[in-house]
């Protein structure tokens, strides 16, 4: 039996764990945070969990269902498949888009666009599903769309639903570069009217394309929207502020856009607030660098910071991975065996093997923990470490082009350069490396200046000048070794 003190300690530890706040710089376990092609995410906090509802990013005719994801900590995600399908909505048959979740009086509502209508003679528009659980199944209370026609030029898609502090619900929506707001009655499945008798007010801000999102903070109404084309690299998020839920929403700034080192087409956002805190994240989709398929969209979140005057700072898409989610989503491995089941990235190879992120940094600081699990002795040349400015990788893992900063069982810290067939040592220094010990390796690259440092008992530094490779992917590498990597953090140098 457990002693009373032991039980006391356990319940204290449990409380600390349960109340641990998601005060992250970004998705610390890595973006994309879930696997698969998804877009247009929206979110709610239901019964102690964050829920994310995205579009299934597929050809329009295959967009007949919605999946959802839930998480208690924004790190470990559970997938809920087919929470809403067109089989339960007689009028909807394709292009099910941008689900908007909300809860009221015992019922979970999920609003969505369907059929991608181009004229009022077509059947389709914004529908609503109801369920008694966040994970559905969502069924059709109306038997028809809630908004089934164009008003003020707005295509009936891309809705967000918001309930103000006074209990009045609003639906913000619109595609084809027009945005409307309408009132929802308390039943949440019928539209109300404004004082002047109209039902739809146009609130289109400058540059608006689609993807309305309403957030209220400190009495200020924030309208977010997307600009640019969703299949291309320029898709982006801007916002406006108002003291009224009906606007006007003058465009203040673009706050999220592509980053040539991280991802393109970052757009169609929602906002996560950690309950009872002033911690916010922007939730969005983006394309991997170099991807040409418009549907190749993935879910990501990053921190959203407000200034003292209520305006919003430009979002930085950060590159972190602490593997706490136990998966390697976002990593492409070449050869060897790789797994993150131990909540660290463990790789082993009898010859050599790489795991790479689809990034393209030029000037950066790249830090990660590296632990060699292979002993010295007969494997005195086993190595593990960080590779950067990498191009030309294939399953023939000996032939990568780029730089390799690593530690060896022979007890050295080194920096080498590989041109695809031959490796050249650029620097090497004694570094008191012990097996099964964790070292923080740090690479600072600025143009042709490359520095490598390690926090061993006798700190070692290598500094070289080399201009063979200016930019490329980042990753980790094992050579005749088993090694573990953790707490990956890559940040662009900001001074240039
Ligand atoms: C809440 O739902 C109950 C049962 O469906 C209904 O009787 C009640 O009128 C609703 N309350 C409000 C405020 O809409
Ligand atoms: C590497 O091998 C995997 C399976 O072994 C294969 O799916 C993938 O296409 C290969 N990649 C390259 C770049 O050859
Ligand atoms: C790599 O470098 C070696 C030695 O300098 C050279 O012989 C070889 O041609 C180079 N290979 C490529 C692909 O550039
Ligand atoms: C990077 O190098 C440039 C000169 O090439 C220098 O002006 C700049 O300060 C350096 N940045 C950092 C962060 O060291
Ligand atoms: C990287 O830094 C070098 C030297 O400071 C500079 O010349 C180059 O333009 C930078 N590259 C990028 C992509 O910022
Ligand atoms: C990531 O690296 C940057 C730049 O070195 C640093 O400012 C930041 O605190 C680091 N974040 C974490 C979580 O280690």
């Amino acid at each position: 039996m457990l002693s009373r003190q032991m039980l006391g300690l356990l319940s204290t530890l449990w409380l600390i764990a349960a109340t641990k706040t998601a005060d992250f710089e970004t998705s610390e376990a890595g973006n994309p945070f879930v696997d698969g092609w998804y877009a247009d995410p929206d979110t709610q906090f239901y019964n102690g969990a964050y829920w994310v509802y995205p579009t299934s990013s597929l050809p329009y005719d295959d967009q007949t269902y919605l999946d959802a994801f839930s998480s208690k900590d924004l790190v470990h995600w559970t997938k809920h498949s087919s929470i809403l399908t067109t089989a339960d909505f007689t009028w909807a048959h394709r292009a099910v888009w941008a689900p908007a979740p909300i809860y009221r009086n015992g019922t979970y509502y999920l609003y969505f666009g369907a059929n991608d209508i181009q004229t009022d003679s077509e059947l389709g528009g914004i529908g609503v599903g109801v369920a008694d659980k966040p994970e559905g199944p969502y069924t059709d209370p109306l038997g028809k769309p809630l908004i089934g026609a164009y008003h003020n030029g707005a295509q009936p898609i891309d809705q967000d639903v918001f309930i103000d502090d006074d209990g009045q619900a609003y639906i913000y929506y619109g595609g084809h570069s027009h945005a409307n707001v309408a009132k929802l009655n308390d039943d949440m499945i019928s539209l109300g009217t404004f004082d002047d008798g109209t039902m739809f007010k146009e609130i289109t801000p400058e540059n608006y394309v689609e993807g309305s999102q309403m957030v209220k903070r400190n009495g200020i109404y924030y309208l977010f929207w997307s600009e640019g084309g969703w299949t291309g690299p320029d898709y982006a998020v801007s916002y406006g502020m108002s003291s009224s839920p009906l606007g006007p929403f003058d465009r203040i700034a673009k706050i999220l856009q592509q980053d040539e080192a991280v991802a393109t087409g970052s757009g169609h956002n929602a906002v996560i607030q950690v309950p009872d805190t002033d911690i916010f994240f922007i939730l969005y989709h983006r394309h991997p660098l170099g991807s040409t398929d418009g549907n190749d969209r993935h879910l990501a979140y990053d921190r959203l910071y407000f200034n003292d005057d209520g305006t919003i700072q430009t979002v930085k898409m950060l590159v972190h991975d602490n593997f706490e989610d136990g998966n390697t989503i976002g990593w492409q491995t070449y050869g060897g065996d790789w797994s993150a089941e131990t909540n660290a990235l463990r790789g082993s190879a009898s010859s050599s093997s790489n795991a790479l992120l689809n990034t393209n940094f030029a000037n950066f600081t790249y830090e990660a923990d590296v632990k060699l699990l292979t002993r010295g002795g007969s494997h005195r040349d086993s190595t593990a470490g960080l590779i950067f400015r990498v191009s030309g990788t294939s399953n023939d893992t000996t032939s990568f082009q780029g730089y390799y900063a690593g530690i060896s069982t022979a007890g050295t810290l080194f920096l080498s350069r590989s041109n695809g067939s031959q490796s050249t040592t650029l620097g090497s220094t004694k570094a008191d490396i012990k097996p099964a010990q964790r070292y923080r390796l740090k690479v600072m690259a600025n143009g042709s200046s490359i520095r490598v440092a390690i926090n061993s008992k006798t700190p070692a530094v290598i500094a070289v000048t080399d201009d063979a490779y200016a930019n490329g992917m980042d990753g980790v590498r094992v050579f005749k070794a088993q090694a573990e990597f953790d707490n990956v953090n890559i940040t662009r140098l900001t001074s240039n």
Side-chain angles (χ1 to χ4, degrees):
M1 275 222 351
L2 290 169
S3 73
R4 212 199 212 123
Q5 289 93 323
M6 197 64 179
L7 281 173
L9 178 65
L10 279 177
S11 63
T12 306
L13 286 175
W14 183 85
L15 255 177
I16 291 169
T19 55
K20 190 167 171 273
T21 301
D23 188 4
F24 308 140
E25 280 185 64
T26 177
S27 172
E28 301 289 352
N31 276 322
F33 63 91
V34 294
D35 210 4
W37 289 20
Y38 292 100
D40 315 330
D42 201 354
T43 184
Q44 283 292 336
F45 191 78
Y46 288 148
N47 318 319
Y50 301 90
W51 283 77
V52 170
Y53 298 85
T55 299
S56 305
S57 194
L58 301 164
Y60 292 3
D61 286 342
D62 298 333
Q63 292 178 312
T64 57
Y65 67 93
L66 296 170
D67 296 334
F69 297 88
S70 67
S71 172
K72 286 184 159 48
D73 55 9
L74 294 175
V75 175
H76 302 88
W77 293 91
T78 303
K79 180 173 171 175
H80 308 270
S81 295
S82 297
I83 58 154
L84 180 152
T85 78
T86 51
D88 292 320
F89 294 78
T90 51
W91 58 271
H93 62 97
R94 69 195 288 265
V96 175
W97 291 348
I102 204 155
Y103 170 85
R104 182 163 225 173
N105 191 25
T107 300
Y108 295 87
Y109 297 88
L110 196 60
Y111 301 79
F112 59 94
N115 300 356
D116 182 31
I117 64 167
Q118 304 295 313
T119 66
D120 288 349
S121 61
E122 292 169 59
L123 179 61
I126 294 172
V128 52
V130 295
D132 58 8
K133 297 192 299 290
E135 65 270 39
Y138 287 86
T139 57
D140 189 355
L142 292 176
K144 59 177 188 191
L146 174 66
I147 302 175
Y150 281 68
H151 300 279
N152 305 323
Q155 189 192 23
I157 62 161
D158 277 11
Q159 59 294 320
D160 185 35
V161 173
F162 162 76
I163 302 177
D164 207 346
D165 300 328
D166 64 2
Q168 178 62 56
Y170 298 93
I171 183 165
Y172 298 82
Y173 76 93
H176 293 171
S177 299
H178 289 273
N180 285 338
V181 59
K183 280 184 171 179
L184 279 169
N185 294 324
D186 287 352
D187 66 5
M188 300 298 277
I189 58 170
S190 62
L191 298 179
T193 47
F194 293 106
D195 293 342
D196 62 6
T198 61
M199 291 177 80
F200 300 94
K201 283 210 176 306
E202 179 160 14
I203 51 164
T204 309
E206 188 191 347
N207 288 5
Y208 178 93
V209 172
E210 58 198 16
S212 309
Q213 179 74 208
M214 170 53 55
V215 172
K216 191 178 186 185
R217 176 181 176 272
N218 292 347
I220 299 172
Y221 299 85
Y222 293 84
L223 184 72
F224 297 82
W225 64 89
S226 292
E227 303 179 351
W230 65 269
T231 58
D234 300 330
Y235 205 47
V237 174
S238 293
Y239 80 105
M241 293 157 72
S242 179
S243 56
S244 160
L246 308 182
F249 297 98
D250 291 336
R251 183 178 186 274
I252 294 178
K254 187 183 276 188
I255 49 158
L256 176 67
Q257 59 190 305
Q258 65 176 317
D259 180 332
E260 64 190 4
V262 182
T264 64
S266 325
H268 205 121
N269 76 302
V271 173
I272 293 171
Q273 180 176 14
V274 178
D276 306 318
T277 74
D278 200 35
I279 299 170
F280 291 84
F281 297 97
I282 186 165
L283 172 67
Y284 60 94
H285 74 240
R286 64 194 199 184
H287 300 291
L289 294 177
S291 173
T292 51
D293 186 334
N295 277 322
D296 191 357
R297 295 178 288 177
H298 301 263
L299 301 182
Y301 68 86
D302 273 288
R303 191 72 175 253
L304 190 71
Y305 294 103
F306 290 83
N307 296 310
D308 290 344
D309 65 0
T311 56
I312 301 175
Q313 296 178 12
T314 301
V315 176
K316 286 200 185 86
M317 297 193 286
L318 295 181
V319 179
H320 287 195
D321 203 339
N322 64 14
F323 304 100
E324 288 305 304
D325 52 8
N327 68 51
T328 57
I329 296 167
W331 292 84
Q332 175 72 50
T333 64
Y334 300 87
D337 291 313
W338 294 89
S339 154
E341 277 164 28
T342 57
N343 290 349
L345 180 61
R346 186 177 282 214
S348 64
S350 52
S351 59
S352 65
S353 175
N354 301 322
L356 283 164
L357 288 168
N358 183 22
T359 49
N360 187 21
F361 282 94
N363 301 326
F364 57 85
T365 302
Y366 175 6
E367 293 179 37
D369 299 334
V370 183
K371 194 201 277 187
L372 263 171
L373 299 168
T374 304
R375 301 199 154 270
S378 60
H379 296 284
R380 285 189 65 80
D381 58 352
S382 297
T383 65
L386 316 184
I387 50 178
F388 52 96
R389 294 183 175 172
V390 171
S391 58
T393 305
S394 69
N395 279 351
D396 174 9
T397 54
T398 51
S399 68
F400 85 101
Q401 295 182 346
Y403 296 100
Y404 179 27
I407 56 177
S408 77
T409 48
T412 58
L413 172 72
F414 64 88
L415 173 66
S416 65
R417 184 188 67 207
S418 172
N419 74 353
S421 63
Q422 195 147 328
S423 174
T424 308
T425 300
L426 300 175
S428 176
T429 180
K430 195 107 192 79
D432 145 57
I433 305 298
K434 303 229 164 22
Q437 273 194 34
R438 199 174 254 242
Y439 299 96
R440 189 112 184 116
L441 255 180
K442 185 171 180 177
V443 175
M444 287 149 290
N446 181 10
S448 60
S449 157
I450 302 174
R451 288 164 55 83
V452 183
I454 191 175
N455 71 334
S456 69
K457 213 186 288 165
T458 46
V461 174
I462 295 170
V464 306
T465 301
D466 190 272
D467 60 8
Y469 302 108
N471 59 279
M473 293 179 281
D474 303 274
V476 296
R477 174 172 173 87
V478 288
F479 179 76
K480 293 184 186 169
Q482 184 178 36
E484 219 170 67
F485 306 90
D486 209 350
N487 300 311
V488 168
N489 175 13
I490 309 168
T491 314
R492 171 187 278 102
L493 284 192
T494 45
S495 70
N496 55 27

